Amino acid sequence: MRKNRKKKISFIWNILGRAMLLFALFLLLLAESSCKWFLAVFGEMDFSIVVYQLFSPMEGTSQGILNEYAMACLYPSVSGAILLFLLYVFWDYTTRRLCIDFHLRLFRKKWNLHISHKMGQTIKYVCMSGFIFLLLVSLGSKAVKMGVPAYLAEVSQDSTLFEDYYVSPEAVHIEFPESKRNLLLIYVESMESTYASTEAGGAKEINYIPELTKLSDENLNFSDNEKLGGAHNYGGGWTIAGLLASSSGVPYKLPIEGNSSGEYETFLPGLVTLGEILEEEGYKNYFMCGSDATFGGRRAFYDQHGDYVILDYDKAVENGIIPSDYLEYWGMEDEKLFAFAKQQLSEIAQNENPFNFTMLTVDTHHPEGYACRLCQNQHGSQFANAISCASRQVYDFISWCQEQEWYANTTIVVTGDHLSMNNTFWDDIGDYERNVYNCFINIPRTLSPVRPKNREFSVIDLFPTILASLDVKIEGDYLGLGVNLFSDKMTLPEMIGKEKFEKELKLFSKYYFSQFVIA
C-alpha cells in the first residue's frame, strides 16, 4: 500500500517536473524570439518602451501587428518547446528501456560505445543544459542591444530634476485673453522633420513631406537648426508618452500602485495637464483617433485629465462614418478620420464654448505604415508612400479648416507624437539628429517668438508653448519641465545640457511618484 502511494507521488512529481520544463522552454524561446523580433522591427530602442507596452491594455492594438508577432514569436515558441519536450521524453524513454550500442570501424580501428540508462540520462542533461545555455547567451546579447542593463541602472538611481525645476500649473498665474481662442491640435503619427530634404532642413535626398514643409515655411516652426527642424524626443518615445509630455510638460514613467495593472483606473491623478487648464477656463475638450482609444491608456488619460469627449473607432461607427463591420489597419484609415473630424468640427463650432479639438492620425504607424487609396506609388516604398500621403492629407485638411468661419479664432498646432519606430528608413541620414515635426498656424498677430530657430528643446516644451499660442500669458514662462518657446527664457536642455537633461528624465524620481502617481 505504502509502495503504491510512493509510486503515485513519484508519478505526480514526474508529471509536474516535465510540465514545468515544457513551460520554462516555452518562456525562454518566447523571450529570445521576442527580443529578436523587436530588434528587427523597432531597432535598438529605449527599453522603457518595451516595459510600457508590456503593462498596457491590449484593446485597440492593430490586428496586423498582433498577427505578425504571433507568427514570428508565439507559434514558433509553442511548437519549438513541444518538439524539444518530445525529444526529451523520447530519449528518456529509449534509454530506460533499451541498451544502445554504437559500432564504428575506421581504418581497421573499431570503436564500441555502449549507452546505458545512466549514461543516457547524463547525455540528456548535458544536451539540454547546453541548449538552455546557448539560449540564455543569445537572450543576454539581445537584452544588451535593447538597453535592459541601462534601463535597470537608470531606474535604480534617484533624480532631483523635478524638485529643482518642475513648475506646477497650480503654482503660477495663467491668464487667458478675454476672447478665448479655439485650439485644433493635430498629432501626426511618427511625423519627423527628418523626412524633409537636406535642402529644406531634413535628412533625406528628396522631400517626402513637401506639403508639411510648405506649411512650416508659411507659418511658424520651432527648429533646432536654421531651416525646418523640430523637437528632441526626450520624454516621449511612444504615443501616450508623446501625448503626455507635450500636454503636461513631464515624461511618462512606468506607473505603480493603481496603474500597475495596465487598466489605468487612475492615470497620474496628481498631474495637471493642458486639458484640465482649458476645461477650467470653460473649454470643451475632444479627442479623436481612428482606433480604439483604450489602447495605450489614451482613453483613461483624456477622460481623467480634462473630461474629453472621446471620438474613436466605435464613435465613427455610431456616427455612420464607417460600417459596423469596417476594419482597416488599426480601425479606420486617416481618410475616414479626417472626414469624421470635418463632421464633428462643423457641429462643435456651433456651440458657444471655445473648443480644444485634439486628434491623432495613424497611417504612418510602424512598421511600414498603411497605404490607403489616396496613396501614390511615387517612392517605391510603402512607408515612404504613407509618409507623403499623410503630408498631403494633413495639408488638405488644414486648407479645409481655413475655409471655415471658426478658423479666424482658432490656433492650429501640427506636431508628431514621437519619432518613427521604423527600423529600415534611416541608413542614409548619417549623424543627423532626428527630431519631431511641429508647426503653429494662425497664431495671434501680437504673438512673435523671440528665437524660433537654433533651439535646444524637446516635446516637453510644447506644453507651455501650445498654451501661449492661444494668447495665454504664463507667469515666468515655465510650466511643467518645459518653457514657453515664444519667450526668451532658456529651455532645460539649453540650461543644463541636453545629455544631462535626457539622462535625468530617465532616472527614478520620488517627486514624480509621490506628487503625480499616488497623489
Side-chain angles (χ1 to χ4, degrees):
M1 189 80 172
R2 186 176 297 174
K3 190 174 180 180
N4 289 337
R5 186 180 177 186
K6 284 184 177 181
K7 281 185 177 181
K8 287 181 180 179
I9 294 174
S10 176
F11 176 77
I12 291 172
W13 277 111
N14 190 32
I15 294 296
L16 287 174
R18 291 185 174 184
M20 290 175 65
L21 174 64
L22 176 62
F23 186 63
L25 285 171
F26 164 71
L27 288 181
L28 273 175
L29 289 169
L30 183 63
E32 199 277 339
S33 60
S34 296
C35 289
K36 182 179 179 180
W37 177 80
F38 183 88
L39 287 168
V41 174
F42 304 117
E44 297 178 19
M45 189 177 293
D46 194 323
F47 186 68
S48 61
I49 298 176
V50 185
V51 176
Y52 169 75
Q53 294 296 345
L54 291 175
F55 284 86
S56 294
M58 295 302 291
E59 293 95 330
T61 307
S62 168
Q63 193 63 42
I65 289 179
L66 291 177
N67 290 339
E68 182 183 337
Y69 175 78
M71 293 298 293
C73 305
L74 183 60
Y75 300 150
S77 298
V78 171
S79 57
I82 292 174
L83 179 61
L84 287 169
F85 181 73
L86 290 176
L87 288 172
Y88 179 92
V89 173
F90 175 76
W91 180 260
D92 193 42
Y93 178 86
T94 302
T95 54
R96 279 180 183 276
R97 287 160 177 75
L98 300 174
C99 290
I100 303 175
D101 289 313
F102 289 100
H103 301 284
L104 179 62
R105 189 179 186 90
L106 186 63
F107 302 119
R108 296 185 179 180
K109 278 276 189 179
K110 185 177 181 182
W111 286 274
N112 296 319
L113 177 63
H114 175 74
I115 301 180
S116 63
H117 170 62
K118 187 174 181 180
M119 183 181 290
Q121 291 290 88
T122 302
I123 293 173
K124 177 184 71 176
Y125 291 132
V126 168
C127 290
M128 186 61 69
S129 299
F131 179 77
I132 291 174
F133 175 75
L134 291 175
L135 263 183
L136 290 173
V137 169
S138 177
L139 181 60
S141 66
K142 290 179 175 64
V144 170
K145 288 183 179 180
M146 292 174 65
V148 177
Y151 172 79
L152 294 176
E154 287 161 0
V155 296
S156 64
Q157 300 178 56
D158 290 345
S159 169
T160 60
L161 185 70
F162 284 87
E163 288 88 339
D164 296 337
Y165 297 107
Y166 178 76
V167 177
S168 170
E170 297 175 314
V172 295
H173 180 62
I174 299 174
E175 182 182 346
F176 279 74
E178 184 176 344
S179 177
K180 296 183 175 71
R181 296 179 63 82
N182 302 313
L183 172 63
L184 174 55
L185 177 54
I186 306 171
Y187 288 100
V188 186
E189 173 64 45
S190 308
M191 185 51 64
E192 305 185 23
S193 299
T194 320
Y195 297 127
S197 63
T198 54
E199 183 182 359
K204 291 292 185 176
E205 290 185 10
I206 63 173
N207 195 342
Y208 292 102
I209 52 170
E211 295 82 8
L212 290 179
T213 302
K214 182 180 179 183
L215 279 177
S216 293
D217 289 341
E218 295 174 348
N219 296 281
L220 172 63
N221 163 247
F222 290 100
S223 175
D224 57 338
N225 60 61
E226 285 286 352
K227 300 179 181 179
L228 173 65
H232 296 301
N233 206 38
Y234 313 146
W238 61 101
T239 297
I240 189 61
L243 301 182
L244 176 71
S246 58
S247 59
S248 70
V250 304
Y252 182 96
K253 289 179 176 288
L254 184 67
I256 60 173
E257 299 294 334
N259 292 343
S260 60
S261 67
E263 296 301 328
Y264 305 105
E265 293 178 2
T266 55
F267 194 114
L268 301 177
L271 187 65
V272 177
T273 71
L274 175 67
E276 287 154 308
I277 294 172
L278 295 177
E279 181 188 24
E280 189 173 331
E281 288 291 328
Y283 280 73
K284 187 67 176 177
N285 295 317
Y286 302 85
F287 173 69
M288 175 177 285
C289 62
S291 57
D292 185 341
T294 304
F295 176 68
R298 296 171 300 182
R299 184 186 301 278
F301 172 59
Y302 284 113
D303 183 56
Q304 296 172 30
H305 290 277
D307 193 25
Y308 283 68
V309 175
I310 305 297
L311 303 165
D312 62 353
Y313 170 84
D314 291 335
K315 281 293 182 181
V317 172
E318 186 179 313
N319 283 48
I321 297 296
I322 53 176
S324 59
D325 59 348
Y326 190 87
L327 185 65
E328 287 291 331
Y329 203 36
W330 285 72
M332 65 177 178
E333 68 273 36
D334 290 344
E335 181 187 3
K336 301 290 192 302
L337 180 76
F338 286 121
F340 192 20
K342 290 176 182 179
Q343 179 201 75
Q344 290 298 307
L345 282 166
S346 296
E347 296 177 6
I348 291 166
Q350 304 302 316
N351 301 328
E352 293 184 1
N353 289 16
F355 64 79
N356 160 29
F357 191 91
T358 299
M359 58 186 295
L360 170 68
T361 70
V362 72
D363 283 4
T364 46
H365 200 284
H366 65 87
E368 293 298 331
Y370 176 79
C372 73
R373 72 176 188 89
L374 300 178
C375 287
Q376 302 168 10
N377 188 21
Q378 59 192 117
H379 304 302
S381 158
Q382 178 171 310
F383 187 67
N385 291 336
I387 292 295
S388 291
C389 188
S391 178
R392 288 191 298 273
Q393 288 194 68
V394 171
Y395 186 86
D396 291 343
F397 176 66
I398 291 174
S399 297
W400 175 85
C401 293
Q402 291 171 332
E403 296 172 354
Q404 309 308 306
E405 186 177 341
W406 48 263
Y407 172 77
N409 194 42
T410 300
T411 294
I412 300 179
V413 180
V414 183
T415 179
D417 56 345
H418 54 77
L419 295 179
S420 172
M421 297 181 189
N422 182 289
N423 191 35
T424 61
F425 205 64
W426 314 113
D427 296 338
D428 60 342
I429 68 170
D431 59 356
Y432 181 93
E433 188 170 5
R434 295 162 56 195
N435 46 61
V436 178
Y437 175 90
N438 72 84
C439 181
F440 288 73
I441 302 168
N442 198 35
I443 60 175
R445 292 180 180 178
T446 55
L447 194 60
S448 178
V450 177
R451 184 165 59 92
K453 300 297 182 182
N454 295 310
R455 301 296 306 266
E456 289 289 348
F457 68 103
S458 73
V459 291
I460 283 172
D461 295 298
L462 293 179
F463 171 41
T465 306
I466 290 171
L467 267 177
S469 73
L470 300 176
D471 208 16
V472 173
K473 303 294 187 294
I474 303 168
E475 179 187 357
D477 286 313
Y478 286 98
L479 213 54
L481 293 177
V483 68
N484 170 17
L485 294 173
F486 286 95
S487 74
D488 59 355
K489 302 294 176 60
M490 294 177 69
T491 66
L492 286 185
E494 291 170 336
M495 193 183 304
I496 66 176
K498 63 180 183 179
E499 290 81 10
K500 182 178 180 181
F501 180 63
E502 183 178 19
K503 179 182 178 182
E504 291 290 323
L505 285 178
K506 294 179 179 179
L507 302 182
F508 180 81
S509 170
K510 292 178 182 176
Y511 183 98
Y512 188 100
F513 285 103
S514 64
Q515 298 299 313
F516 305 149
V517 180
I518 57 177

